Amino acid sequence: MRIDIVTIFPEAFTPLQVSLLGRAQEGGRLQITVWDLREFTTDRHRQVDDAPYGGGAGMVLKPEPFFEAVDTIRAESSKTSPRIILTSPQGVRLTHALAQEFAGEEHLIILCGHYEGIDERVREQLATDEISIGDYVLTGGELPAMVIADAVARFVPGVVGDTASVEVDSFSEGLLDYPHYTRPAEYRGWSVPSVLLSGDHEAIRRWRQAQRLRRTLARRPDLLKAEALSDEDRRLLDELDLEDEVSGRE
Ligand code: 9D3
């Protein structure tokens, strides 16, 4: 998979060159290229922004450098028509399902928004998708672009060692993870739950599933869909005295 990122802060993208994604790029499964928006200006001052038509505070990112950048990227890519993602607080929220959908594409181009905004023609005539990573205000689209690239790259075969763990990860199953422990069995007086030391694999499986249900209900009740619960899930919730909290909602 090929991902191109267009930004006014190309130096901010080193996190994508290290760790898991760095190794995936060396292995040829993934190719991430970062482009400096300023390289696609033609004026002496390499100006990427300008004052808004109609007045008001702040600056607006000019359209031409974005269109020129996408023309250049398309010309040097052998891949079929790319999805062009614009990062924006007005975008659709990134989810596990959407990241998986993007991972099915051969080629993604991510345009990083900034300042007060971006010329509307980039959104209307160039972008195929407008994406936000959540309801909090950041200073720009660079971190969101890295979040999108990371979430998408995980689904590319071979990027994450264990393909099975990508498929079954939280969200897809609709439940949060269970608590994990390793040695020592006691630390500063805090003990590992005894069931995990029991060697009873069936009891361990049941305990972990009960923990997942309890956590999800406490922290992310929005993820728990009553119809997706198995008979065992209901029994485990009943043992925790939580069954009414699922069936009684709405
Ligand atoms: C004062 C400016 N804001 C008025 C509504 C608009 C605004 C523009 C640009 C606010 C933040 C930003 C910078 N953020 C992003 O470009 C961004 C973002 C975010 O802030 N949160 C979550 N996802 C994203 S994707 C891009």
Side-chain angles (χ1 to χ4, degrees), residues 87-89 113 115-116 131-134 136-141 144:
T87 63
S88 146
Y115 301 119
E116 294 307 303
I131 302 295
S132 159
I133 62 164
Y136 34 81
V137 181
L138 300 169
T139 57

Side-chain angles (χ1 to χ4, degrees), residues 45-59:
H45 300 287
R46 311 223 295 164
Q47 201 180 336
V48 291
D49 59 352
D50 206 339
Y53 275 120
M59 298 289 267

Side-chain angles (χ1 to χ4, degrees), residues 134-178:
D135 294 339
Y136 34 81
V137 181
L138 300 169
T139 57
E142 284 71 28
L143 287 166
M146 284 187 264
V147 167
I148 295 165
D150 193 273
V152 169
R154 286 183 70 256
F155 289 110
V156 174
V159 168
V160 175
D162 181 6
T163 318
S165 77
V166 175
E167 304 296 323
V168 302
D169 229 320
S170 292
F171 310 113
S172 56
E173 278 195 337
L175 289 180
L176 300 181
D177 204 359
Y178 54 77

Side-chain angles (χ1 to χ4, degrees), residues 184-212:
E186 188 182 315
Y187 179 65
R188 298 194 178 187
W190 304 307
S191 301
V192 172
S194 57
V195 64
L196 297 178
L197 311 177
S198 69
D200 182 342
H201 299 298
E202 179 56 22
I204 292 168
R205 191 193 60 75
R206 252 182 291 133
W207 180 84
R208 284 177 169 166
Q209 185 65 8
Q211 293 294 313
R212 299 184 75 192

Side-chain angles (χ1 to χ4, degrees), residues 110-143:
I110 306 177
L111 309 176
C112 299
H114 230 280
Y115 301 119
E116 294 307 303
I118 189 162
D119 189 282
E120 189 68 15
R121 289 163 289 192
V122 173
R123 176 178 278 122
E124 286 186 342
Q125 311 295 338
L126 196 57
T128 59
D129 297 85
E130 190 174 351
I131 302 295
S132 159
I133 62 164
D135 294 339
Y136 34 81
V137 181
L138 300 169
T139 57
E142 284 71 28
L143 287 166

Side-chain angles (χ1 to χ4, degrees), residues 16-36:
L16 296 181
Q17 311 304 333
V18 299
S19 188
L20 221 65
L21 296 191
R23 234 174 301 135
Q25 289 180 77
E26 282 161 24
R29 288 172 282 259
L30 182 69
Q31 186 199 345
I32 301 176
T33 307
V34 179
W35 302 81
D36 185 347

